[in-house]
Amino acid sequence: MPVIFGKSSCGEFLKETYSAVVYHNRSPEFYEEIKMKIPPNLTDNHHLLFTFYHVSCQQKQNTLLETPVGYTWIPLMQHGRIRTGPFSLPVSVEKPPPSYSVLTPDVQLPGMKWVDNHKSVFSVQVVAVSSVHTQDPYLDKFFILVNVLEEYSFPFRMKDVIITENNVETELKTSIANLKYASMEPLVKFCHRLLSKLILLIIHPPIINGQIVNLGRAVFEAMALMVNQIHKSLEGNQDQHGHNNLLASYIHYVFHLPDMDQGMLNMMGSQHHGGPIQYATLSRATGRPSSLNLSRSKSISNSNPDLATTPVSPDEEVQKIIATKACERSPNRASCYIEGSAFTSSAQTRPTARKLLHEDLALQWVVSSSNVREAALHQAWFFFQLMVKSMAHHLYLSDKINTPRKMRFPDRFVDDINALICTISTDIAGQYQKDLELIERLNTSVAFFLNDLFSLVDRGFVFNLIRSYYKQINTKLLTAQNPNTLIALRMDFIRIICSHEHYVTLNLPCSTLSPPASPSPSVSSSTSQSSAFSSHVQDQKIANMFELSVPFRQQHFPSGLLLTELALILEPDSEGVFFLHKKMISAVHNLLCSHDSDPRYMDPEVKAHVAQLYLPLIGIVMDALPQLYDFTEQYSQRSRHTCVIASDSDSENSSTINQSVAMAIAGSPLPHGYKPAAFQLPAAAARQYSTLSAETSRTLLICLLWVLKNADEDSLQSWAADLSVMQINRLLDLLYLCVSCFEYKGKKAFERINSLTFKKSLDMKARLEEAILGTIGARQEMVRRCRERSPYGNQENVRWRKNITHWKQTTDKVDKTKAEVEHEALVDGNLATETNLVVLDTLEIIVQTVILSESKDSVLGGVLKVLLHSMGCNQSAVFLQHCFATQRALVLKFPELLFEEDTEICADLCLRLLRHCSSSVGSIRAHASASLFLLMRQNFEIGNNFARVKMQVTMSLSSLVGTSQNFNEEYLRRSLKTILTYAEEGLELRDTTFPEQVQDMLFNLHMILTDTVKMKEHQEDPEMLIDLMYRIAKGYQNSPDLRLTWLQNMAAKHSERGNHAEAAQCLVHSAALVAEYLNMLEDCRHLPVGCVSFQGISSNVLEESAVSDDILSPDEEGICSGKYFTEAGLIGLLEQAAASFTMGGLYEAVNEVYKILIPILEANRDFKKLASIHGKLQDAFSKITNQRMFGTYFRVGFYGSKFGDLDEQEFVYKEPSITKLAEISHRLEEFYAERFGDDTVEIIKDSNPVDKAKLDPNKAYIQLTYVEPYFDTYEMKDRITYFDKNYNLRNFMFCTPFTLDGRAHGDLHEQFKRKTILTTSHAFPYIKTRINVIQKEEIILIPIEVAIEDMQKKTQELAFATHQDPADAKMLQMVLQGCVGTTVNQGPLEVAQVFLADIPDDPKLFRHHNKLRLCFKDFTKRCEDALRKNKTLIGPDQKEYHRELEKNYHRLKEALSPLINRKIPQLYKALIPHTSQRNSFNRSSLRKVES
C-alpha cells in the first residue's frame, strides 16, 4: 500500500523505502526514521514487511547487485489492538508463505529456515500517533466490549478470553472499574468519546439474555473518578470558575441525548419532535438505602397557573438552554464522529432499554459510596451541568415543554434532588474548615444548579431547596467558631440565586403582602414579563413594605433573603466582617444595576414595582449610618445628628449573628412586629462601630438613592409619616452624607488619582482582617490572586456580569488618556447631579409629610441643613436652579426657621447665596440674587427691619473674601446691582424704608469688596496680606461679629501656611472676644470674666476688651447673634485653639487654654469631654520633655519711597525654625524684585544704622539682621525653660562689632561692640508673623567688656559640654580644642596677655580687670573638669590625643598663672565707713535710648 511518506525527490507516498548501505559490518545499526500514514480501518492482515539485502561491491557477471538474504514482519493489529513499542524479531531466510501476516515471526512456521536458529536478531521500534487507536489496554478493552455489545457479536475472542453472553457483564464491569488505571495522556485524548460511551451505557443499559444489565453505579463511579483525575492533571487548563475546559466543552458542545440528529436540531425552534419516545421504568436494582427516607416532598406551591391552564407556546427558558448548549455545537470532526458512532445504535432491530440520564445520575449520586461521592463532590459542577442539560433535552425531546411544571419530572427524581441538595448542604456546613477551596467550588456549583432549576422545574420546589440549604448553614452557624467563612459562602450562594434572568418575577412584585401558604408561589415561565406588572398595588400595610417583616419575606422570598443577609452583615454587633461588607453590598448593587439597564423595566411604573422589592433597604442603611465612611470630614461646619443604635446587651455577650433573624432566613417564624435593628435611644455609652470603607459606603449609598428615586412617591410619603422625629433626623443625616459622598470633584481630581485605584486602600484592611481571623490560608490566597488576574476577579463570575455599568469607576487602569479622564469627569458630574436631585426630591417628600406635624420645626431645620450643604458643594447649574427654588419655597412658608430660632442656619444660607452670587454662570447668579433679595424682604416684613440678614450677609461676605480662592468680585458686584434693582422697582415695599436699608447694606458690602481688591494685590505677599486682614479686623473693633469673622479668616490663612502658633493666637483672641460679650450678657461663675482671664495665654489678648464708649450692646438686634457668641461657641473656639497650640508644639500654652475650658465643662458635667481633655493634657505634658525648635527672628527694615506705607518701617519677622538669613533674604529680594524690578531692590547686608540721605531715592532698600530674644537679669529668674525663653517675646537684640576708626574688626584692645535692643508693639507669638518695632536701645561695650563677655561665653560652653547628659565626647573635645589649643588666634592666652599683663591706669577699669581675672580663674577650673571628663570618655586610640590636650592645658595654666594671681591692691583696702551714695550709673558703658 502506498502509505510511506516520500522524500523531497520522490512521490508523495511510496509502497517501500530503503535504508542506507552499511559496509562490512556483521552487526549493522540503521538510524532511519520512516513515517507512514496508516489507514483508520486496520485489520489483522495489515503488517509491516522488512526485507534484508546483501549488496555486492563488485558486480559479477550474471549475478544481481542486491540479493535478498532475510525477511521479517510486524502485524499491525492483534486482538483488536494496534501493536506499538520496541520489537526484537527473528529473521527468516526464506520468503514467507501466503497469509503469513496473521501470525507473528515468533511463531516457528514449519518448513521455514531462520537465521541463527530462530533467535531474535533484528530490533525495531514502532511509535503510533493516532486519534483513533487509544494505545492503552484498559481503554482498548472497554471500547471493544462496548462495541461487542452494540453489535451483539457473540462469541468474541479477546486475547486469551472468549467473550460470551454469560461473562460479558462481568468483563464489562471489570473494564469500567479498571478505567481509573488508564494512562492520563490517552484518557485526556479520548475523554469525550469515553464519556459518551459511559453515558450511553446509562441511557441504553444493555439487554443480555433478555435481562437488563444495570451498570449505573459502576458507570457513575468511573465517571466521578475519571473527571476528578482529568481535573487534577490539567490544573493549568481551567477557566475563571475553576472548571476544566475539556470537560466544560464536552457538556457545551458534545453531549446530547440520543435520537437527535442534525436535521432535528435545525428545526428545533419551530417544529415539535415527532412521535413519543417510551422510556423504560427506572430500575431500582441497585437498591435505595432505607436510611435516606426519600419520601416525596410536599408541594409548596398553591398558585401555579400551570395547574389550571396549558400554555400554548414552548417554555422560552428551556428553548434558550437548548439553543445555547445544543444548537451551537460546532460541526467539527470529533463531534460529528461521536454523533454518528457513539450515540446511534447499529442494531436497530434488537430490543433496547432506555433510562433518563438525569434521573440515574441523581440516584447514583445519592446512594454512592464515600470515596466515589467525595470524587463527585470535587467536580460537582460537571454532574450538575450534565443533569441540567439532560433535563432540558428530555423536556424538548419528550414534548413536555408545555406540561405543567409539577408534572414534568417524576416524584422519585424530585426526591433524589431534594436528598442530594440536603446532603451537599450538610457537607458544606460541616467541612468548610477542612478544605475551604473545595467547599467554595461546591457551594458555587449548588447555587448555579438551583439557578438553572428555576427554568426547568416547579419554582416552589426550588425555593424549598433553598430553605433546606439555609437551615443547614444556620444550624451550623449557632456553634461555628469562625462563622465569617460560612457567612461568605452563604452570600455567594444567594448572590448566584438572585442572578436569575427572571429574578424580579420570582419575587412576585405586584402581589399584596397577604401571607401565602408557602415561602413563595411558583411562577410559570410561560407568564409573560409584562403581566408581572399588570395589576395595581392593593391596600397594603406600609410598615410591612419597608421592613423585613414576615409577610415581606414570604411574598418576596429571594429579595427577602438578600436584604436579610445585608441587614445581618451590617449589624453593629458583627465583628471582623470587613471583608464581607463589600461582598454583600456589591451583590445588591449589581442586581440594581441589572434592573436599571434591563429594557423590560424601563417604564417608570414597572420600575416602581421593582423598587418595591428593595424598600427595606432604606431602613437597613439608616441603621448602618454610624458605620458608614464619613465623607463630611472636610466640612468643619457640619453637625451630624447624634442618633446611635443601642444594643440590648453588652457586646461581649452578644454573638456575631442575631439568631432570630438568622433563623428567619431559614423560614422560622419571627416574633410579631419584629423589626431588626430598630431605632432605639442609647441605654448606655455609645459603642464603637466598625467603619465601612469609602468605596463600600459609596456603593451602599448608590443603592439607597436608586430605591429612593424609583420607589412609589405615595408609598414613601406614607412611610415617612409613620417615622419618629429621631428616625427622620437620621434619614436627613443620611441624605447629608449622600451629598458629600457624590460631590463633583472636577477633572483635576481625576488627573491627580490617575495612577491610583479607588479599591486598593480598602482591600488591604479586608485582607488584613482575613489574615488575622485565619479565614483564608496561604494556598487559598495564592489561588485567589491567580484568579483575580482576570478582569472580573474570582467573585465576579461570568453568570452575573450585569454589574458592569456605564458609570462605574474604572480607576484600575493606570495612565488614562485625556479623553478617558474627560469622560470620567463627565460621568461623575452627571452622577453628582442625579444623586443631588434624588436627595432634593426626598427632602420635598419629607417636607410634605411633616408640614402639619407638631415636630415640624426640628425636622425642617434638618431639611434646611441638608439643603444648605448641597448648595455649598460643587454642583451643576441644573441642580442649583431646582435647589434655589426649593430654598425660596421653604423660606417663604417657614420664615420663623431663619428669623426666630437659631441664627446659624441664616448665617450659612447667606454665605451660600453670596458665594453663588459671584458665580461665573449667569443663571446661577440670577437665582442666587433672587433668593438673597427674598431673604431680605422676608426679614423686613416680619419686623420692618432686616438687621439680622444685614449682619449675616456682611459677615458672610467678610468670611467669603477672607477665605475663598475663586472669589470673583466683578460678578458679585453685578449680583448686588441686581438686588438693588429688585429693591428699587418693587411696588409692594417702595414706600417703606426697605429700599434705603438695602442701599445702606450694599454700600457696606462694596466697601468690603474694595478691601478685597487690596487683598488680591497682596495675594503673593503673605505678611502684607495678614497685615491688611489685621487692619480690617481692627476696623471692626466695635462690631464683634465682624471682628470675629476676620479673626477666623486670619486663623485659616495661618493654618494654610503652617503657622499654627499664630492660628492659635487668632482663636484665643476670638475666644477672649466672645468671653467679653458673654460676660456682659450674664455673669456666670464658671465662665471666664473676660479678656483678663486669658492673660495667662498671651499678654496681647487685652486688646479685645470691650471698654470704650461706642461698644455696642450685645442685646441689640443682629449683634452677637452668631453661633460663636454662646457658651458652646466659646468651648469650640477654645478646643480649636488647644488643637492649634498642640500642632505648633506649644504644649505649655495648651495647659493654659484648658485651665479656662475645664471649669466650663465641669459646670456642664461633661465628663466624657473632661476625660478626653485630661488625656490630651497627659500627652502634652509628656511631650514637653522632647526637644523642640521654635521660631527664628529677623529685624527687617524697609527704606525707599517705593515701599509706600512701609518706608522707614522696621519689623521683627518670625520665621520657621532653622531659617537661615540667606533664605529670608532671597525670599524678600525675589518677591520685591518681581514687584519693583530686578535693578531696583538692594539688600543692605550690614546692621549699622541707615542714613537715608545716602540712599538712592529711586531704589528700594531692605536691611536684614538676625536677632535673638533678649531678657533683662530680673526676667531670667522667671524664664527657666526653653518654652519660657521663646514665648511672650517683646525684646530682641543684635550685636554689631566696630572700632573707633570705623573698621568693623580690629585688635583685641581696640574691638568695641554695639548691642541693639529692639522692642515690638506686641509680644510674639501674635495674630500676625511680623510686628512693628516701637523702641530701639543701644548699649556700647568697651574692649575689656567684650573680652569678659567672650570668656564668660567660653566658660559656659565648657560647663555645658562637661555636664551634658548623655555625654558627647566629640562636642567636649571640640570645645576643649578651642580653649587649650596652641594654634588658636586671639585665644584665651592672648586675651589674658592683652588685658591682664598690666594693671590699668584708669581706676574705673579696676573692677573690669578684676572681673576678667576671676573669669580666667573659673575658665581654668572648667578646663580641668573638662579634661577629667574627657579622660573617662576616650578609648585606647585617643589616649595620645588626650595627653596632648593635657600638655597644652598645663602650658596654658603656667602662662596664665602670674596674670590671674596678680591682684589690684586698691580693691583690697580695709573697709571704712562710706557715707557717699553709690552711683550705679558711674560706668564706662554708654546707653542710648530711642523711641
Side-chain angles (χ1 to χ4, degrees), residues 225-516:
L225 296 174
M226 184 183 92
V227 167
N228 205 30
Q229 206 173 348
I230 290 173
H231 178 84
K232 287 180 179 177
S233 64
L234 300 177
E235 279 194 354
N237 187 22
Q238 297 176 10
D239 60 17
Q240 56 187 342
H241 308 285
H243 299 172
N244 183 273
N245 288 323
L246 187 66
L247 300 174
S249 64
Y250 173 76
I251 293 175
H252 191 75
Y253 297 108
V254 179
F255 166 72
H256 64 85
L257 295 180
D259 299 323
M260 182 187 287
D261 57 13
Q262 192 65 31
M264 180 57 64
L265 285 173
N266 294 333
M267 296 185 293
M268 193 166 49
S270 58
Q271 186 175 342
H272 295 301
H273 190 276
I277 299 176
Q278 301 296 327
Y279 288 92
T281 308
L282 194 64
S283 172
R284 298 286 169 170
T286 54
R288 181 191 301 268
S290 59
S291 60
L292 286 174
N293 193 20
L294 300 179
S295 60
R296 181 185 173 188
S297 59
K298 294 181 180 178
S299 169
I300 63 168
S301 174
N302 63 357
S303 61
N304 191 341
D306 290 339
L307 298 178
T309 60
T310 304
V312 294
S313 62
D315 192 317
E316 293 177 2
E317 296 172 43
V318 179
Q319 202 170 31
K320 182 176 179 182
I321 291 175
I322 295 174
T324 56
K325 297 184 179 179
C327 289
E328 293 177 4
R329 288 207 316 275
S330 57
N332 54 34
R333 187 165 60 92
S335 62
C336 290
Y337 175 76
I338 293 171
E339 286 172 22
S341 62
F343 288 120
T344 306
S345 173
S346 58
Q348 296 295 332
T349 57
R350 186 169 50 83
T352 59
R354 292 186 181 178
K355 290 185 181 181
L356 296 176
L357 176 64
H358 48 274
E359 292 184 11
D360 208 58
L361 280 180
L363 172 65
Q364 298 304 334
W365 200 343
V366 169
V367 301
S368 59
S369 58
S370 59
N371 60 335
V372 177
R373 191 165 162 281
E374 187 71 23
L377 288 179
H378 274 79
Q379 305 304 322
W381 68 273
F382 177 80
F383 295 101
F384 279 141
Q385 289 191 15
L386 206 57
M387 288 167 66
V388 168
K389 189 167 183 181
S390 172
M391 292 165 72
H393 281 204
H394 162 65
L395 290 179
Y396 175 73
L397 294 175
S398 59
D399 203 16
K400 285 189 177 182
I401 290 179
N402 296 330
T403 307
R405 285 173 177 266
K406 283 192 174 183
M407 302 172 63
R408 289 179 178 179
F409 298 99
D411 296 337
R412 293 186 303 275
F413 175 62
V414 171
D415 290 343
D416 288 340
I417 292 294
N418 196 1
L420 182 62
I421 297 301
C422 284
T423 53
I424 291 179
S425 301
T426 307
D427 289 334
I428 292 172
Q431 299 182 25
Y432 74 96
Q433 288 181 317
K434 297 177 183 176
D435 190 348
L436 180 60
E437 189 180 354
L438 166 64
I439 295 303
E440 281 179 345
R441 290 204 310 268
L442 181 60
N443 184 67
T444 305
S445 302
V446 172
F448 277 123
F449 177 60
L450 297 184
N451 187 306
D452 291 334
L453 285 185
F454 276 125
S455 304
L456 300 170
V457 303
D458 177 47
R459 272 83 181 262
F461 167 66
V462 181
F463 286 147
N464 252 349
L465 295 180
I466 295 172
R467 287 187 61 187
S468 300
Y469 171 90
Y470 264 76
K471 280 184 178 178
Q472 298 288 348
I473 299 297
N474 290 334
T475 304
K476 182 65 178 178
L477 273 175
L478 297 174
T479 57
Q481 295 178 349
N482 184 13
N484 291 338
T485 306
L486 211 51
I487 294 171
L489 292 171
R490 194 174 65 186
M491 284 181 182
D492 284 335
F493 177 86
I494 191 61
R495 180 164 66 160
I496 296 169
I497 292 296
C498 292
S499 66
H500 195 274
E501 60 180 330
H502 294 312
Y503 164 79
V504 173
T505 313
L506 290 173
N507 278 290
L508 303 179
C510 289
S511 301
T512 59
L513 289 185
S514 56

Side-chain angles (χ1 to χ4, degrees), residues 832-1037:
T833 302
E834 183 69 23
T835 53
N836 280 281
L837 287 172
V838 173
V839 170
L840 199 59
D841 290 340
T842 310
L843 292 177
E844 295 273 9
I845 291 172
I846 292 173
V847 172
Q848 292 170 19
T849 303
V850 302
I851 196 167
L852 299 176
S853 67
E854 297 176 358
S855 57
K856 68 174 183 179
D857 290 345
S858 61
V859 172
L860 289 175
V863 170
L864 262 176
K865 284 183 179 178
V866 178
L867 200 63
L868 291 175
H869 179 51
S870 64
M871 290 169 66
C873 298
N874 297 324
Q875 301 290 5
S876 64
V878 174
F879 168 75
L880 284 174
Q881 291 177 21
H882 295 285
C883 187
F884 283 130
T886 302
Q887 171 263 318
R888 287 195 292 270
L890 281 173
V891 171
L892 192 63
K893 291 180 181 177
F894 312 107
E896 65 276 4
L897 277 176
L898 298 172
F899 309 126
E900 294 179 11
E901 301 297 328
D902 184 17
T903 58
E904 185 181 342
I905 296 178
C906 184
D908 283 350
L909 179 57
C910 291
L911 181 63
R912 308 289 186 228
L913 292 177
L914 270 176
R915 189 168 79 88
H916 289 298
C917 280
S918 67
S919 169
S920 59
V921 182
S923 60
I924 294 178
R925 286 201 307 274
H927 278 276
S929 302
S931 291
L932 190 56
F933 173 75
L934 181 67
L935 195 64
M936 295 176 192
R937 194 179 74 176
Q938 200 73 26
N939 194 10
F940 181 81
E941 288 175 348
I942 289 176
N944 288 330
N945 183 11
F946 60 100
R948 172 172 290 195
V949 172
K950 189 188 299 183
M951 177 57 68
Q952 296 298 348
V953 168
T954 311
M955 288 172 58
S956 298
L957 184 59
S958 299
S959 176
L960 197 63
V961 301
T963 56
S964 178
Q965 299 291 332
N966 303 320
F967 176 72
N968 190 298
E969 176 217 353
E970 180 58 34
Y971 288 136
L972 183 57
R973 288 188 191 273
R974 290 186 196 175
S975 298
L976 295 179
K977 189 175 180 182
T978 304
I979 292 172
L980 186 61
T981 306
Y982 284 151
E984 290 173 347
E985 297 183 1
L987 298 176
E988 298 174 5
L989 300 175
R990 180 177 289 178
D991 299 331
T992 65
T993 60
F994 180 67
E996 186 181 343
Q997 290 187 38
V998 171
Q999 200 165 0
D1000 289 343
M1001 188 197 76
L1002 295 183
F1003 176 76
N1004 292 335
L1005 297 183
H1006 280 294
M1007 290 301 295
I1008 295 174
L1009 288 175
T1010 305
D1011 289 334
T1012 308
V1013 176
K1014 291 182 181 177
M1015 288 174 62
K1016 283 194 173 180
E1017 288 177 9
H1018 300 290
Q1019 198 66 39
E1020 301 301 321
D1021 185 357
E1023 285 84 11
M1024 197 65 195
L1025 181 63
I1026 292 291
D1027 272 1
L1028 186 59
M1029 295 175 78
Y1030 175 80
R1031 202 177 311 156
I1032 295 171
K1034 201 151 186 68
Y1036 291 125
Q1037 192 84 36

Side-chain angles (χ1 to χ4, degrees), residues 1427-1444:
L1427 283 168
R1428 197 178 297 116
K1429 180 75 172 179
N1430 187 58
K1431 191 171 185 178
T1432 62
L1433 298 177
I1434 61 170
D1437 56 327
Q1438 289 187 311
K1439 285 185 177 179
E1440 187 62 36
Y1441 173 68
H1442 181 74
R1443 278 196 290 270
E1444 187 66 28

Side-chain angles (χ1 to χ4, degrees), residues 537-715:
V537 179
Q538 306 294 325
D539 293 331
Q540 304 174 20
K541 291 184 179 179
I542 296 298
N544 283 342
M545 292 170 60
F546 284 83
E547 297 173 11
L548 287 172
S549 57
V550 174
F552 180 91
R553 288 183 291 107
Q554 286 179 328
Q555 194 66 34
H556 310 308
F557 185 62
S559 177
L561 286 180
L562 184 78
L563 294 178
T564 309
E565 198 75 63
L566 179 65
L568 283 173
I569 209 61
L570 290 177
E571 277 194 344
D573 288 339
S574 301
E575 296 178 0
V577 291
F578 297 110
F579 71 103
L580 298 178
H581 289 149
K582 182 183 176 185
K583 184 189 286 283
M584 198 61 239
I585 292 170
S586 295
V588 178
H589 174 253
N590 295 343
L591 267 176
L592 295 182
C593 290
S594 68
H595 301 333
D596 200 63
S597 58
D598 197 319
R600 296 172 295 178
Y601 312 137
M602 288 304 169
D603 184 76
E605 185 181 349
V606 174
K607 199 163 279 189
H609 283 292
V610 177
Q612 181 184 317
L613 302 176
Y614 298 94
L615 289 178
L617 181 68
I618 303 173
I620 292 171
V621 181
M622 285 167 64
D623 295 339
L625 178 60
Q627 297 170 259
L628 296 179
Y629 182 86
D630 191 1
F631 293 96
T632 63
E633 287 175 349
Q634 56 187 314
Y635 301 104
S636 58
Q637 302 299 326
R638 180 182 188 271
S639 58
R640 292 283 295 267
H641 299 287
T642 54
C643 297
V644 230
I645 303 175
S647 62
D648 295 329
S649 59
D650 293 334
S651 58
E652 290 110 6
N653 300 328
S654 60
S655 62
T656 307
I657 299 299
N658 185 318
Q659 303 302 341
S660 56
V661 179
M663 293 311 293
I665 295 176
S668 302
L670 287 173
H672 181 67
Y674 172 80
K675 180 181 177 185
F679 303 103
Q680 303 160 356
L681 284 171
R687 67 166 66 247
Q688 294 295 319
Y689 295 100
S690 56
T691 306
L692 298 178
S693 65
E695 185 193 13
T696 307
S697 300
R698 180 184 171 93
T699 307
L700 187 59
L701 290 176
I702 280 182
C703 298
L704 169 76
L705 291 169
W706 188 90
V707 176
L708 288 174
K709 175 188 175 184
N710 295 293
D712 180 61
E713 189 173 327
D714 294 335
S715 300

